[in-house]
Amino acid sequence: MTTIVTATTDNRPGTGGDLLLPVPDEDLLSPVPDEDGAPFWEYAARGELRVQTCTACDAPRFPPRPCCPHCQSFDSHWRRMSGRGRIWSYVRPHPPLLPAYAAQAPYNVILVELADAPRIRLVGNLVTAADAALDSVDPARLRIGAPVKVAFHTLPGGMTVPRWLLERP
């Protein structure tokens, strides 16, 4: 098991405060697929970005759900996306909300508007490579509208998640 050493303060009596506590990388948040969204994660594991799309009216929808919000059809399929988009919004959580992320703070969390489905926006991280640290992109490079492309990263538990790379590094 790999561990990340994080700088935290433990103020419990008798601890001496300011300790470096190891946090296993398994403590990082992982998606929990549900029945409707399971295909999204299965495609991601294959390196494909797909979005649930209504078979009746052809409207893409995210998050995945049983019924189309436009025409109320229950028929859907998973349309392959180009994997390109633009940063619609971003935030730099600092200090991190969870101790497991402290070693990578400040890092970014971006909201990506997909190029081929502009109403669909996915949350992820902007990184320099699929397996790079969450803090690998210089914060000065973050800007609304920056073109990005998807890359896939496999987490320690085996789940594959989309991450984002700048189109023009």
Side-chain angles (χ1 to χ4, degrees), residues 4-36:
I4 297 173
V5 177
T6 62
T8 64
T9 302
D10 186 347
N11 290 324
R12 291 176 295 162
T15 63
D18 291 331
L19 299 175
L20 290 178
L21 303 173
V23 177
D25 54 6
E26 288 84 18
D27 287 347
L28 298 177
L29 294 176
S30 293
V32 179
D34 61 10
E35 185 179 337
D36 296 323

Side-chain angles (χ1 to χ4, degrees), residues 1-167:
M1 171 171 71
T2 305
T3 59
I4 297 173
V5 177
T6 62
T8 64
T9 302
D10 186 347
N11 290 324
R12 291 176 295 162
T15 63
D18 291 331
L19 299 175
L20 290 178
L21 303 173
V23 177
D25 54 6
E26 288 84 18
D27 287 347
L28 298 177
L29 294 176
S30 293
V32 179
D34 61 10
E35 185 179 337
D36 296 323
F40 176 86
W41 302 108
E42 292 165 10
Y43 286 117
R46 293 188 227 162
E48 297 178 23
L49 184 64
R50 292 190 180 237
V51 172
Q52 187 185 44
T53 303
C54 179
T55 302
C57 72
D58 207 37
R61 59 184 185 246
F62 197 88
R65 50 196 172 268
C67 181
C68 176
H70 304 284
C71 73
Q72 287 69 53
S73 171
F74 285 91
D75 296 325
S76 67
H77 62 280
W78 288 83
R79 181 186 305 160
R80 189 170 189 160
M81 300 284 109
S82 68
R84 300 211 180 303
R86 68 180 188 91
I87 297 176
W88 193 81
S89 184
Y90 68 90
V91 65
R92 291 182 53 227
H94 187 73
L97 301 175
L98 298 171
Y101 291 86
Q104 298 186 62
Y107 53 92
N108 66 71
V109 178
I110 64 172
L111 190 58
V112 173
E113 179 180 74
L114 297 181
D116 32 8
R119 291 190 336 238
I120 304 296
R121 296 184 185 116
L122 303 178
V123 176
N125 302 101
L126 184 66
V127 291
T128 56
D131 296 330
L134 298 182
D135 65 350
S136 61
V137 171
D138 179 353
R141 311 260 344 256
L142 287 170
R143 64 179 175 76
I144 304 297
V148 293
K149 60 185 175 184
V150 74
F152 294 94
H153 172 69
T154 302
L155 299 171
M159 176 71 70
T160 301
V161 297
R163 288 184 166 183
W164 301 92
L165 312 171
L166 287 169
E167 286 255 357

